[in-house]
Structure formats: structure tokens, C-alpha cells
């Protein structure tokens, strides 16, 4: 078993486990998480969320980002300057739209989450741009 520094199991899910969890996804969730799509800007349910808590992967429940690192980027998607745990994000080069971008995925279930860009605020200078449908928010307390 592979465990992150924050104590979460990072063992990749099997295809059968992913299929079982994906059975309850909406068509939009399936299109983003499994088919690497993007939701339209300014329509995600988590964009304006100001509550204190953590944003988890919708498919496998791994915590991805803390509300402490969320900021308003003005882009129309929930944005964060650092992940919950560096091991909780997987990075891949994405050249699908004729430009080089860095795609971010869940390391446990391989779900597409969004992209990361080098134009974020201090202290990291990173902007993790997420699809709301890729995440579930869990409030502290």
C-alpha cells in the first residue's frame, strides 16, 4: 500500500473499482472525470464556495485541496495555489488544444481534475484550475 505524507492510501484503484464508482456519475461528471472534458466557466457549484473545509475527488474521495489555498482567479473555475498534499495530484503534459499545458489528475483513480498554470499568487505562483464537477466539498466540523 502506498500512503501519502498526510496518511491517505494512494494505491491506484482497479478498473473494476473505478467502473463501480463511476456508475452513479451524471453525464457531465463522466465527461469531465473520465473523458477529460471541461465544464463551462462561471457555472460550477464550487466556484463561489467560501466555507472552510476540503475539496475531495468526486470519484474516489481523496482530499485534493484545502479551502485555505482557494482564491478568486477571475477565470470562472475554482482555483487553488497548492494541493492538500503534493502526492495527491498527478501531473501530465497536455498538448490537446495546440498548446502545452499541464493536466492534473487524481493519483488514485486517474480522474481528470483540471490544469495547473504558472500564474498564481504567492507563495507558490501556481494556479490549479479545477472543474467543480470533479470535486466534492466537505466542510470542517
Amino acid at each position: 500500500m502506498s500512503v501519502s505524507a498526510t496518511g491517505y492510501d494512494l494505491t491506484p484503484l482497479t478498473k473494476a473499482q473505478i467502473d463501480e464508482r463511476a456508475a452513479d456519475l451524471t453525464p457531465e461528471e463522466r465527461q469531465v472525470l473520465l473523458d477529460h472534458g471541461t465544464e463551462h466557466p462561471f457555472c460550477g457549484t464550487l466556484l463561489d464556495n467560501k466555507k472552510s473545509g476540503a475539496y475531495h475527488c468526486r470519484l474516489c474521495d481523496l482530499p485534493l485541496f484545502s479551502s485555505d489555498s482557494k482564491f478568486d482567479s477571475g477565470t470562472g473555475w475554482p482555483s487553488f495555489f497548492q494541493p492538500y498534499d503534493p502526492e495527491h495530484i498527478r501531473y501530465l503534459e497536455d498538448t490537446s488544444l495546440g498548446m502545452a499545458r499541464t493536466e492534473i489528475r487524481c493519483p488514485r483513480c486517474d480522474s481528470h481534475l483540471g490544469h495547473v498554470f504558472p500564474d498564481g499568487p504567492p507563495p507558490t505562483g501556481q494556479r490549479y484550475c479545477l472543474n467543480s464537477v470533479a470535486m466534492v466539498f466537505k466542510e470542517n466540523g
Side-chain angles (χ1 to χ4, degrees), residues 6-91:
T6 50
Y8 290 88
D9 182 2
L10 298 178
T11 305
L13 299 182
T14 65
K15 170 106 171 71
Q17 289 171 314
I18 291 170
D19 290 346
E20 180 182 330
R21 292 170 187 233
D24 295 329
L25 294 177
T26 68
E28 182 184 21
E29 291 165 353
R30 180 175 290 280
Q31 196 263 338
V32 169
L33 291 166
L34 304 179
D35 299 331
H36 311 282
T38 301
E39 67 187 359
H40 294 289
F42 299 103
C43 70
T45 58
L46 298 175
L47 177 62
D48 296 319
N49 182 31
K50 307 283 191 234
K51 295 176 182 172
S52 180
Y55 296 82
H56 292 238
C57 176
R58 180 172 298 281
L59 195 64
C60 75
D61 201 36
L62 183 69
L64 302 169
F65 295 92
S66 168
S67 58
D68 294 339
S69 66
K70 190 170 191 261
F71 70 100
D72 183 359
S73 66
T75 61
W77 289 280
S79 298
F80 304 84
F81 59 80
Q82 68 187 13
Y84 186 91
D85 181 310
E87 295 177 277
H88 291 200
I89 299 292
R90 190 161 74 90
Y91 302 87

Side-chain angles (χ1 to χ4, degrees), residues 66-138:
S66 168
S67 58
D68 294 339
S69 66
K70 190 170 191 261
F71 70 100
D72 183 359
S73 66
T75 61
W77 289 280
S79 298
F80 304 84
F81 59 80
Q82 68 187 13
Y84 186 91
D85 181 310
E87 295 177 277
H88 291 200
I89 299 292
R90 190 161 74 90
Y91 302 87
L92 290 90
E93 183 180 0
D94 176 3
T95 57
S96 63
L97 296 179
M99 62 179 141
R101 302 182 296 167
T102 302
E103 178 186 2
I104 54 175
R105 292 190 194 176
C106 177
R108 189 159 62 191
C109 68
D110 202 39
S111 288
H112 172 73
L113 304 171
H115 291 85
V116 62
F117 303 94
D119 60 4
T124 65
Q126 300 295 302
R127 173 175 53 94
Y128 291 83
C129 192
L130 281 287
N131 292 289
S132 287
V133 297
M135 302 181 292
V136 173
F137 180 73
K138 297 192 176 184

